Amino acid sequence: MAGVDEAGRGPLAGPVAAAAVILDPRNLPRGLNDSKLLTREAREILFEDIMARALAVGVAFASAAEIDSINIRQATFEAMRRALFALSIPPRYVLIDGNDPPPRLSCPGEAIVKGDGAIASIAAASIIAKVTRDRLMARLCARFPVYGFSQHAGYGTPAHLAAIAQHGPSPYHRLSFSPFKAR
């Protein structure tokens, strides 16, 4: 069974990330929880522990351009399907954090509201997706330092909005999101 979750639906910049994780029930990492409830340090430690103990991990993205083209919901579903496809072990069943599972999954599955706080494999996927996306945003910050992506991961903070007002969008901004959509 694989747990699936995403990170980065709300930011103004960067991709949406999804992770799929198949845990070994005899070798579970301790301290799994919804990534939003953990400190950055705890997420980093758990990321390494999950990667060392999991039977399989798949991570995938849908780019800002894809988000602009097909919308954030469909892009999230696409990233989830890609993450499942990236698993080295095909799952027989999938548990997805959220209200509804993506269409066209390769196996049966179900959505679990607030699953990232209740199901170990979904919590693990939440952590993997969040840490992977945060690391990517830090790399993008090195290429586009004026936006401060490593501080806010692309979310619409006052500093980020001020940088957008001064410099305009980067190639990684979601032009279908406000404040760009209004232009």
Side-chain angles (χ1 to χ4, degrees):
M1 179 174 53
V4 178
D5 200 4
E6 55 71 29
R9 282 180 64 126
L12 306 178
V16 63
V21 177
I22 300 174
L23 292 173
D24 180 347
R26 296 168 307 229
N27 192 18
L28 295 174
R30 297 178 73 121
L32 292 174
N33 201 349
D34 176 355
S35 66
K36 294 180 291 299
L37 301 178
L38 300 168
T39 65
R40 179 184 294 247
E41 295 78 23
R43 284 192 303 266
E44 289 286 342
I45 291 167
L46 280 164
F47 178 93
E48 299 302 331
D49 200 19
I50 294 162
M51 295 300 286
R53 294 174 186 245
L55 298 175
V57 175
V59 180
F61 298 96
S63 70
E66 286 178 281
I67 293 166
D68 290 340
S69 175
I70 61 175
N71 77 44
I72 186 61
R73 184 171 189 264
Q74 296 307 315
T76 300
F77 286 164
E78 185 59 35
M80 289 177 170
R81 284 189 293 269
R82 290 172 184 165
L84 284 163
F85 184 74
L87 288 169
S88 60
I89 301 170
R92 287 189 222 136
Y93 199 78
V94 181
L95 297 174
I96 300 125
D97 184 53
N99 294 319
D100 52 346
R104 302 180 313 279
L105 290 176
S106 58
C107 67
E110 67 182 288
I112 311 264
V113 174
K114 298 189 186 288
D116 49 3
I119 309 292
S121 60
I122 298 175
S126 168
I127 293 162
I128 297 295
K130 173 80 172 130
V131 170
T132 303
R133 187 180 186 283
D134 285 353
R135 289 176 178 178
L136 174 65
M137 294 308 291
R139 286 194 300 275
L140 289 179
C141 189
R143 291 188 59 204
F144 298 94
V146 297
Y147 299 102
F149 292 142
S150 61
Q151 278 73 49
H152 51 67
Y155 284 89
T157 64
H160 187 195
L161 293 172
I164 292 167
Q166 183 175 358
H167 303 285
S170 76
Y172 297 97
H173 278 94
R174 301 171 182 181
L175 302 180
S176 60
F177 281 41
S178 288
F180 311 109
K181 190 161 100 171
R183 293 180 186 181

